[in-house]
Amino acid sequence: MVTPMDSSLSPTTALADQDTAGLVVTLAGLLQKKGWMLATAESCTGGLIGAACTDLAGSSVWYERGFITYSNEAKTELLGVDAGVIAAHGAVSEPVARAMATGAIAHSPPSRVALAVTGVAGPTGGTPDKPVGTVWFGWSVDGDVRTERRRFDGGRAEVRAATVHHALQTLVQLIRNASR
């Protein structure tokens, strides 16, 4: 099932204030409690989400694998994203983020959770429709796929750091909501 993000998924103040390492600790606890594994599919972050997850000792208990799919060809070959979808919508789009998240699940059989990011980190590559800082997110939590578009300010490093933080922060909230 694919559903758009809604305001009920806004992070709490405490969660918003957590640093990335703290979010990973929280995520690890939630995934371990459920016995779920995580797969990541990253484009604009180039593996930073996977690195944040594996910085935590013992992450092999809950982090299954990561796909760094920077090129369109990698998205197609490694995740099964339809090349026609990329051609029709561009790599930085809702259909591609959704397909990346579902592809990460499909190509990581033990995983019940996936997150995907595709965006324009800059400093070049932006367009009027997709300016630098535009990022599409996809999350799959136990069969429920959500997507969201965000635009972050700052240079390349700031956009990528904000993307990692938002991806993890929202994933924590989605898993918490799945428990209700």
Side-chain angles (χ1 to χ4, degrees):
M1 177 169 90
V2 177
T3 53
M5 295 296 290
D6 63 29
S7 60
S8 68
L9 296 174
S10 298
T12 63
T13 302
L15 189 57
D17 290 343
Q18 256 186 318
D19 65 5
T20 299
L23 287 169
V24 171
V25 169
T26 301
L27 176 62
L30 291 168
L31 290 169
Q32 288 178 77
K33 183 177 179 183
K34 291 194 161 287
W36 289 351
M37 298 291 286
L38 168 66
T40 56
E42 302 180 63
S43 186
C44 61
T45 51
L48 293 175
I49 296 168
C53 290
T54 59
D55 276 348
L56 182 63
S59 57
S60 61
V61 172
W62 54 272
Y63 184 78
E64 212 284 318
R65 70 182 73 177
F67 300 90
I68 301 172
T69 56
Y70 208 68
S71 72
N72 293 342
E73 292 77 17
K75 290 172 183 63
T76 299
E77 291 171 17
L78 298 176
L79 298 172
V81 177
D82 187 312
V85 170
I86 296 171
H89 302 280
V92 180
S93 65
E94 189 277 338
V96 170
R98 181 176 359 105
M100 288 173 67
T102 58
I105 292 288
H107 292 87
S108 176
S111 297
R112 301 264 303 268
V113 177
L115 72 82
V117 296
T118 182
V120 185
T124 61
T127 66
D129 289 342
K130 299 173 188 177
V132 170
T134 301
V135 180
W136 271 100
F137 297 84
W139 299 272
S140 179
V141 177
D142 200 28
D144 184 27
V145 178
R146 308 275 179 133
T147 58
E148 181 183 23
R149 180 183 184 215
R150 281 286 176 110
R151 184 166 179 286
F152 301 109
D153 292 324
R156 184 174 182 82
E158 290 85 9
V159 168
R160 288 165 41 114
T163 299
V164 170
H165 192 269
H166 182 72
L168 293 169
Q169 181 181 57
T170 303
L171 182 58
V172 166
Q173 195 63 43
L174 289 169
I175 293 170
R176 285 181 174 164
N177 289 348
S179 301
R180 295 181 183 153

